[in-house]
């Protein structure tokens, strides 16, 4: 980075319907079998925790999490290829797990492809542990690919004393 270059300072904020086109562009550039506009709109509509990583009005990533039965489930996390490796995935996951904790979730679960080595490294470094495998979970060029299932146990939010 040159002395004149401005450091990138993102903010995490709720995803809006008008963000979906940018989110889908990142999704399509990142995955062979991307989610559709409709899937992202439905996630917003049903009230999932949908967050975007924004840089000066531009979307650089996103994360989607659902909640149920004391669990939070990371459904999708993606950072634009041009800004990967700068800690934005870590920041997004840390934010999402903290939100899950504050919503009363006792654990966070997620699935990841065994071939996604950078995601595996990130999740393990954040304390996620593999708890199983979902057979034939992902679509792939070879037909179907298994998913590794990871879990992170969350500590409860301390109760404030009056």
């Amino acid at each position: 980075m040159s002395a004149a270059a401005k450091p990138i300072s993102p903010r995490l904020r709720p995803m809006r319907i008008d963000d979906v086109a940018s989110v889908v562009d990142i999704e399509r550039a990142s995955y062979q079998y991307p989610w559709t506009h409709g899937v992202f709109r439905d996630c917003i509509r049903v009230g999932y925790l949908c967050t975007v990583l924004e840089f000066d009005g531009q979307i650089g990533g996103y994360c989607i999490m659902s909640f149920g039965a004391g669990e939070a489930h990371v459904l999708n996390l993606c950072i634009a290829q041009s800004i990967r490796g700068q800690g934005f995935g870590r920041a997004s996951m840390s934010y999402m797990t903290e939100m899950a904790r504050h919503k009363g979730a006792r654990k966070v679960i997620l699935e990841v492809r065994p071939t996604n080595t950078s995601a595996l490294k990130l999740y393990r470094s954040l304390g996620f542990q593999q708890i199983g495998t979902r057979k034939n979970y992902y679509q792939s060029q070879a037909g179907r690919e298994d998913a590794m299932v990871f879990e992170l146990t969350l500590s409860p939010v301390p109760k404030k004393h009056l």
Side-chain angles (χ1 to χ4, degrees):
M1 182 186 306
S2 70
K6 196 166 86 173
I8 297 175
S9 55
R11 74 179 181 117
L12 289 158
R13 66 161 176 81
M15 185 186 296
R16 301 182 301 251
I17 293 292
D18 63 338
D19 296 323
V20 171
S22 296
V23 166
V24 169
D25 287 345
I26 295 169
E27 177 86 357
R28 286 182 179 156
S30 300
Y31 301 116
Q32 245 181 339
Y33 301 96
W35 284 13
T36 64
H37 285 84
V39 171
F40 285 105
R41 284 192 303 268
D42 287 347
C43 288
I44 295 169
R45 190 173 17 258
V46 300
Y48 291 168
L49 180 59
C50 302
T51 304
V52 294
L53 189 64
E54 182 182 59
F55 303 85
D56 297 323
Q58 301 296 310
I59 305 301
Y62 52 89
C63 190
I64 304 203
M65 182 182 282
S66 67
F67 296 90
E71 294 180 357
H73 189 169
V74 177
L75 302 173
N76 199 335
L77 168 69
C78 189
I79 304 299
Q81 289 178 330
S82 62
I83 59 169
R84 288 183 188 157
Q86 298 180 47
F88 300 128
R90 176 176 299 282
S92 296
M93 276 303 298
S94 295
Y95 173 80
M96 298 300 275
T97 56
E98 192 60 20
M99 292 297 294
R101 198 168 78 88
H102 282 279
K103 288 183 174 279
R106 294 181 304 275
K107 61 184 171 178
V108 177
I109 59 170
L110 57 84
E111 294 84 15
V112 62
R113 290 178 190 264
T115 54
N116 191 343
T117 56
S118 59
L120 288 168
K121 182 178 176 185
L122 170 64
Y123 300 143
R124 287 179 174 133
S125 75
L126 291 170
F128 282 82
Q129 301 291 316
Q130 185 176 358
I131 60 167
T133 301
R134 296 194 199 281
K135 293 289 185 195
N136 301 314
Y137 186 79
Y138 291 111
Q139 187 175 2
S140 73
Q141 284 187 325
R144 304 298 298 177
E145 181 179 358
D146 293 347
M148 298 169 71
V149 182
F150 280 77
E151 176 182 279
L152 175 69
T153 301
L154 301 174
S155 59
V157 175
K159 294 189 192 259
K160 293 182 180 178
H161 294 96
L162 297 177

